[in-house]
Amino acid sequence: GGASWKRVCRKGGKDGIDTACYAGPSCVVVPSPQSADCAYAFNSEYILKTANAGQTWTDMTAIQPDPAKPNQWRGRGWNGWCSQNYVFNPFRRGESMMVAMDGGHGWHSTDGMQTWRYAFGQLGAWQGANDVAFSRDGYIYIATGQQGGNVGVMVSADNGETWTNRYGGSCGLPSRQDGTYGFVWA
């Protein structure tokens, strides 16, 4: 329950994690709702997965075709966005969403992370996203913003098919230039 901690892996070296790309220290770790031993780690360059409670990790965005050639990888890598949060929908199995800074906004999957759809509102791609929340009745909310601005709260009323941005006094929210939304709950 968090009373004690130990390092189970690190980038490179003994007990290292092999990845196609180097990435900085920013990382979001999310446990799987399907298994206590499974978790995912997202950062700016790759997605890692553990299926054994963190003892070993696998780069899910690239593979090593020949283990004898450790510096040769094949795969798409990750897109370079700085992941801010990752949420599994507690009301719909197989649905999840990653939110990211800059033009990342939200990437939505409804098939257990096999395919992805970009969550894009009507106000342009920038100002990032920080948090996402699912409601029982199919609404999805994304809190946006970085560097003192935002593109409102992005809302989908149809399980992520279409998105609108809500901001300003008519919605009971601050203006677009009035700060960054850090969290959203549904």
Side-chain angles (χ1 to χ4, degrees):
S4 63
W5 296 86
K6 72 175 184 172
R7 182 191 302 255
V8 293
C9 61
R10 69 191 81 219
K11 174 80 173 145
K14 185 179 180 308
D15 301 323
I17 301 171
D18 290 324
T19 60
C21 300
Y22 171 79
S26 176
C27 192
V28 177
V29 178
V30 180
S32 168
Q34 306 303 320
S35 168
D37 290 334
C38 183
Y40 299 89
F42 299 81
N43 70 13
S44 61
E45 304 299 335
Y46 48 75
I47 300 173
L48 301 177
K49 177 182 179 181
T50 182
N52 57 9
Q55 295 302 311
T56 59
W57 294 83
T58 303
D59 186 335
M60 300 300 292
T61 53
I63 62 166
Q64 282 182 303
D66 183 354
K69 299 176 182 173
N71 293 323
Q72 294 183 10
W73 291 81
R74 183 175 71 212
R76 66 188 181 286
W78 190 225
N79 55 28
W81 288 317
C82 300
S83 304
Q84 291 292 97
N85 199 357
Y86 194 92
V87 176
F88 289 96
N89 185 344
F91 309 112
R92 198 167 156 202
R93 186 182 175 108
E95 183 174 18
S96 57
M97 181 168 266
M98 184 275 300
V99 292
M101 299 308 290
D102 300 327
H105 278 274
W107 284 90
H108 182 220
S109 178
T110 58
D111 59 5
M113 299 190 291
Q114 297 302 303
T115 61
W116 301 85
R117 185 173 49 242
Y118 183 51
F120 184 77
Q122 74 273 34
L123 294 177
W126 301 100
Q127 296 300 329
N130 299 298
D131 199 16
V132 59
F134 295 94
S135 73
R136 187 179 304 277
D137 57 357
Y139 279 77
I140 306 171
Y141 301 89
I142 298 176
T144 72
Q146 68 188 65
Q147 298 175 338
N150 65 76
V151 290
V153 175
M154 292 174 51
V155 180
S156 175
D158 54 12
N159 284 326
E161 292 291 324
T162 59
W163 295 87
T164 58
N165 298 69
R166 297 188 182 157
Y167 62 92
S170 64
C171 296
L173 296 168
S175 75
R176 289 184 57 208
Q177 299 307 314
D178 199 16
T180 297
Y181 297 103
F183 304 97
V184 65
W185 294 272

